[in-house]
Amino acid sequence: MEKELKVKKIKNGIVLDHLPCGKVLDIIKILNIDKKTGETVSILMNVESASKGKKDIIKIENKKLEDLNIDKIAIIAPNATVNIIKDFQVVKKRKIRIPDIIDIINCPNPSCITNQKEPVKPKLLVEQTEPLKARCYYCERVFTKEELVENI
């Protein structure tokens, strides 16, 4: 007889669902979850998915949507879903999408003015979402998803 281990439901918090398989640890890093984190965190990797084959999931108790950096998560997991949980029920679902302008990470070009000691806020214009390509507003270089992820 095969035994199945189930992760218990959370009373209040968020569930990041439909994460690309193998990306959960990158997202944990973005969320600043480590051994000092006070919330209970459940990480599920390589979970069966009818639509994707396999996926990753993160459950975080007592975390609010405002506490997440959705735009950074979107770069790694553009088709993920954030489920808001209250009293064990999903009260809201939000699909994550890549913003038109990425202004939360520095330009990967070390020579760009945004990486100098100038008071210039980074601004990457998304030219294409699949595969992701974003152009720096200042140096005009185009970067891939992999190059952007390195700067998160």
Side-chain angles (χ1 to χ4, degrees):
M1 180 166 77
E2 186 177 318
K3 291 184 179 183
E4 187 174 325
L5 176 64
K6 295 188 179 191
V7 177
K8 78 175 197 175
K9 291 183 175 185
I10 61 175
K11 183 174 183 181
N12 295 301
I14 57 163
V15 176
L16 293 166
D17 197 1
H18 305 289
L19 302 172
C21 204
K23 297 298 180 183
V24 73
L25 298 177
D26 294 330
I27 294 168
I28 289 294
K29 191 168 126 183
I30 290 171
L31 296 172
N32 292 319
I33 294 173
D34 59 19
K35 62 184 177 187
K36 297 174 191 162
T37 301
E39 301 92 1
T40 299
V41 179
S42 299
I43 299 170
L44 294 92
M45 298 174 72
N46 299 315
V47 177
E48 293 292 329
S49 169
S51 62
K52 297 186 183 261
K54 298 263 187 183
K55 66 180 179 179
D56 291 349
I57 302 170
I58 302 172
K59 295 181 174 191
I60 311 170
E61 291 200 56
N62 301 317
K63 192 82 152 165
K64 294 186 170 105
L65 183 61
E66 306 82 64
D67 298 336
L68 300 181
N69 197 328
I70 297 295
D71 288 346
K72 283 186 179 180
I73 295 169
I75 294 169
I76 295 173
N79 298 311
T81 306
V82 179
N83 298 314
I84 313 297
I85 312 294
K86 288 195 176 151
D87 294 320
F88 298 104
Q89 299 295 316
V90 176
V91 294
K92 185 176 181 184
K93 281 190 174 203
R94 179 177 171 197
K95 187 116 171 130
I96 294 177
R97 70 172 200 81
I98 296 172
D100 295 332
I101 297 172
I102 300 170
D103 59 1
I104 40 84
I105 60 171
N106 288 335
C107 174
N109 175 6
S111 301
C112 181
I113 192 167
T114 60
N115 292 314
Q116 306 308 310
K117 293 182 181 168
E118 301 292 330
V120 180
K121 187 174 181 180
K123 186 173 173 182
L124 297 153
L125 310 172
V126 175
E127 294 185 343
Q128 176 179 312
T129 56
E130 194 57 44
L132 178 60
K133 291 193 190 274
R135 179 179 302 275
C136 176
Y137 179 80
Y138 300 101
C139 72
E140 298 187 348
R141 286 190 49 195
V142 176
F143 301 96
T144 64
K145 175 181 180 174
E146 291 74 22
E147 292 169 311
L148 296 174
V149 167
E150 287 178 19
N151 263 23
I152 293 180

